[in-house]
Amino acid sequence: MSRHRGCHAVALLLLAGSGLTASLSAQVAASGPRSLTLAEALDIAEKESETVGIARAELARAQGDQRRARSAYYPQLNGSASYQRAIESQFSALETGTDTSTGPAPTCNRFVPQPGLPIDQRLDSLESAVQCASEANPFGNLGNLPFGRANTYRFGLSFSQTLFSGGQVRGQSQAASAGVRSAALGLTSARAQLLLDVTGAYYDASLADRLLIIAQATLEQADTTLSQTQLAREVGNLSEFDLLRARVTRDNQRPVVIQRRADRDLAYYRLKQLLDFPLDQPLALTTELGDTNLVASPRLAAVVEQEGDTTTSRRAPVRQAAEAVTAQRGLLRVARGQRWPQVAVTSQYAQLAYPKRVDPIGADFVSDWSVSLGLQVPIFTGGRIGGDEAVARANLRQAELRLQQSSELAEVDARNAAIQLEAAQAGWEASAGTVEQAARAYQIAELRYREGISTQTELLDSRIQLQQAQASRARAARDLQVAKVRMVLLPALPLAFSPAAPTAQPASSTAPVAPVPTYQQPQPQAVEAGLTGVTQPGVAGQ
């Protein structure tokens, strides 16, 4: 009986689990894919991006270095408190004298000469004073000093102020301030690169959707042609060769559809990764691929100071290189400042107490206060200062050459962006009307084929031309959108070929400038249309 009850319970649990799974699947199916516009994608990406978060952390670290470098301008004040317990001391004998076998030492009164007394009384008083002094402990008066005390309390304040450092403090502050400005530019570049990446990924996914639809439509057309060919073969109007050719054409289109579907999935995975979405979450992209209006202008304008400014000096990488030159000049000043004397004023103030008990309450505190003016002059350092100066000069020269290199690359990059925008605009305009003409030509070819006027070769050529026209139109729309966004974000974008970043900081720098990461532009896969179904690599935003 109990066995039957257990079987019933297991069956009920299985039914409940299957019902729960079915209900969850129904809820997911009912909810449908999440609608997503390009503007929403850009907002979400900037909030969830790890790259932007890393750039913000770099800026916060640079600001911390700046505060640390500037702190040397201000006086330094520190407080301290300590308690010391002496277990055994070499001064312990001072408390009771050197000989404790005869009891405590006698107390001697001060000797005062009295000329009016007789000679014998005066001699007696002098001899008594000498005898008492010889028997007294010579270290008895040191018992009130801190030597050998069991308990010692110390509460103190220490003050220091640098008066002259040979320009080291100024150089460190200059380098740290340049680091903050460079990190801020790095954050702007990271945001601009993210917006360009998300835009490219969004339109890549939309393009993959469009190419999949084109491939599926072409497969349906091939199926229709195969059905018509089979019917014509049955009535004897077409040969077996025509039937085999139609079947091979249909079968060759199936791998194309499979490849387009895989490309579509990969493009969506790339977009979801940038937006920090679960990879299994379905999306429905609502921004039209052929919409040439820049729908994200407010978001893009919030990143750059002036949209589309191609001036070389206004490019973020060039400005970062200029800040690196400023930072290296400050570090060179730090290295040179080591040859100058260092002048500082210091002060120590303390309250001391030596109570007989552990508790300091009620103890007599005494003051200890000193002020000193220090001068430190480097006399011989074994060539360390000269080595620091050589390293700083080399770093400065390297930064100046990198600035020149960045300016040249920025000019080339700006012209490259302008040329690609012109090419994308020309490609979009050239593809206008081609799809309609190709579709009309295919309809005519299909009608002629059904009526037996034309051959299957003509129909196949018309289908290929229609597919190529649709794919070219979709790619032209995608390229135009990405080229527009890249031109708008150009002032803040990193260079396509960034110069190498410095690998070392001078050893003399106590507040080095945090190196700004070089954000390389990623190369997402752009989907290319073709009859073979082979995906060709494309560059988003170039």
Side-chain angles (χ1 to χ4, degrees):
M1 185 70 179
S2 60
R3 181 179 299 175
H4 289 293
R5 291 179 178 176
C7 293
H8 286 301
V10 172
L12 290 175
L13 289 175
L14 292 176
L15 290 175
S18 61
L20 180 59
T21 304
S23 63
L24 291 176
S25 300
Q27 291 178 2
V28 173
S31 60
R34 174 176 178 176
S35 299
L36 185 68
T37 63
L38 178 58
E40 293 174 349
L42 295 179
D43 292 336
I44 295 172
E46 192 168 357
K47 295 177 182 177
E48 302 294 336
S49 173
E50 294 85 359
T51 303
V52 176
I54 293 173
R56 288 196 179 101
E58 290 288 343
L59 177 59
R61 181 170 61 183
Q63 291 173 344
D65 289 338
Q66 183 185 37
R67 289 195 297 269
R68 181 174 58 184
R70 289 181 176 179
S71 64
Y73 283 114
Y74 303 99
Q76 308 295 311
L77 182 64
N78 299 306
S80 62
S82 65
Y83 166 74
Q84 180 180 351
R85 174 70 178 181
I87 306 301
E88 186 175 358
S89 173
Q90 58 183 334
F91 302 105
S92 300
L94 297 180
E95 298 181 359
T96 58
T98 58
D99 186 7
T100 58
S101 59
T102 58
T107 302
C108 300
N109 296 325
R110 182 180 180 183
F111 174 74
V112 179
Q114 297 181 4
L117 294 178
I119 297 299
D120 54 350
Q121 293 182 3
R122 293 173 63 187
L123 290 175
D124 290 339
S125 61
L126 180 61
E127 291 176 354
S128 299
V130 172
Q131 182 179 4
C132 184
S134 63
E135 295 178 356
N137 184 5
F139 302 99
N141 293 331
L142 301 179
N144 294 328
L145 297 178
F147 301 108
R149 292 303 182 97
N151 302 305
T152 302
Y153 283 91
R154 182 183 182 92
F155 301 94
L157 293 175
S158 61
F159 168 86
S160 64
Q161 173 64 60
T162 301
L163 301 181
F164 180 75
S165 63
Q168 294 189 54
V169 176
R170 183 180 178 184
Q172 292 172 359
S173 179
Q174 178 182 352
S177 299
V180 171
R181 294 189 296 269
S182 182
L185 291 172
L187 175 59
T188 302
S189 295
R191 293 176 60 194
Q193 185 63 62
L194 175 66
L195 296 181
L196 180 60
D197 292 343
V198 172
T199 302
Y202 188 95
Y203 285 122
D204 282 343
S206 182
L207 175 61
D209 275 336
R210 183 69 59 84
L211 295 180
L212 177 59
I213 293 174
I214 294 173
Q216 290 175 343
T218 304
L219 178 59
E220 293 176 359
Q221 293 170 359
D223 283 333
T224 302
T225 303
L226 177 60
S227 300
Q228 295 174 357
T229 305
Q230 288 176 345
L231 181 60
R233 171 60 178 165
E234 292 176 358
V235 298
N237 292 336
L238 293 177
S239 64
E240 183 181 0
F241 175 76
D242 294 330
L243 178 61
L244 292 176
R245 187 172 183 178
R247 183 175 287 112
V248 170
T249 302
R250 192 276 311 272
D251 294 341
N252 286 339
Q253 188 61 30
R254 287 178 177 174
V256 177
V257 175
I258 296 173
Q259 183 64 42
R260 293 293 173 263
R261 186 175 290 109
D263 294 339
R264 191 270 312 270
D265 293 339
L266 292 176
Y268 271 91
Y269 289 156
R270 169 62 178 167
L271 178 61
K272 294 174 185 178
Q273 181 264 328
L274 291 174
L275 300 181
D276 202 14
F277 283 176
L279 297 182
D280 296 333
Q281 181 177 356
L283 295 178
L285 307 183
T286 58
T287 300
E288 292 293 335
L289 185 62
D291 186 6
T292 57
N293 295 325
L294 199 59
V295 296
S297 294
R299 170 60 60 183
L300 304 183
V303 177
V304 295
E305 298 176 358
Q306 185 175 357
E307 298 181 4
D309 187 1
T310 59
T311 306
T312 301
S313 60
R314 299 304 302 168
R315 292 291 301 274
V318 178
R319 295 167 63 186
Q320 282 185 295
E323 294 298 342
V325 173
T326 303
Q328 293 302 330
R329 287 174 180 169
L331 296 180
L332 178 59
R333 179 175 296 175
V334 173
R336 290 175 175 173
Q338 296 180 92
R339 296 187 180 275
W340 292 86
Q342 312 295 314
V343 182
V345 58
T346 59
S347 178
Q348 300 287 339
Y349 176 79
Q351 285 285 326
L352 305 173
Y354 310 98
K356 295 182 178 180
R357 301 178 305 172
V358 176
D359 186 5
I361 299 177
D364 294 333
F365 282 86
V366 294
S367 299
D368 184 13
W369 191 1
S370 63
V371 178
S372 61
L373 180 65
L375 175 66
Q376 183 178 1
V377 181
I379 299 176
F380 179 74
T381 61
R384 177 183 58 83
I385 298 178
D388 290 342
E389 288 187 16
V391 172
R393 289 193 189 95
N395 288 338
L396 177 58
R397 179 57 179 167
Q398 188 180 25
E400 292 174 346
L401 293 176
R402 190 172 294 111
L403 173 59
Q404 182 179 356
Q405 185 181 21
S406 299
S407 300
E408 296 172 355
L409 292 175
E411 184 176 0
V412 176
D413 190 53
R415 296 191 179 186
N416 182 26
I419 291 174
Q420 293 198 5
L421 178 59
E422 294 177 0
Q425 184 69 39
W428 170 257
E429 295 174 355
S431 63
T434 306
V435 177
E436 291 78 5
Q437 296 175 3
R440 179 58 179 166
Y442 178 74
Q443 292 176 359
I444 296 174
E446 188 178 20
L447 178 60
R448 287 167 54 86
Y449 179 73
R450 275 199 312 266
E451 298 297 333
I453 302 176
S454 65
T455 62
Q456 189 178 2
T457 302
E458 180 182 349
L459 179 62
L460 180 60
D461 292 339
S462 299
R463 184 187 300 122
I464 293 174
Q465 292 176 1
L466 175 60
Q467 183 181 9
Q468 291 178 346
Q470 292 172 341
S472 299
R473 182 65 173 174
R475 287 197 303 272
R478 179 259 176 205
D479 294 341
L480 180 59
Q481 291 282 36
V482 176
K484 281 187 174 182
V485 174
R486 185 168 186 260
M487 181 57 69
V488 171
L489 295 175
L490 189 63
L493 285 176
L495 300 177
F497 302 97
S498 298
T503 57
Q505 294 289 343
S508 61
S509 172
T510 58
V513 180
V516 179
T518 303
Y519 298 95
Q520 298 292 342
Q521 185 172 357
Q523 309 293 327
Q525 294 290 332
V527 184
E528 297 289 342
L531 295 178
T532 60
V534 179
T535 302
Q536 300 293 335
V539 180
Q542 291 191 4

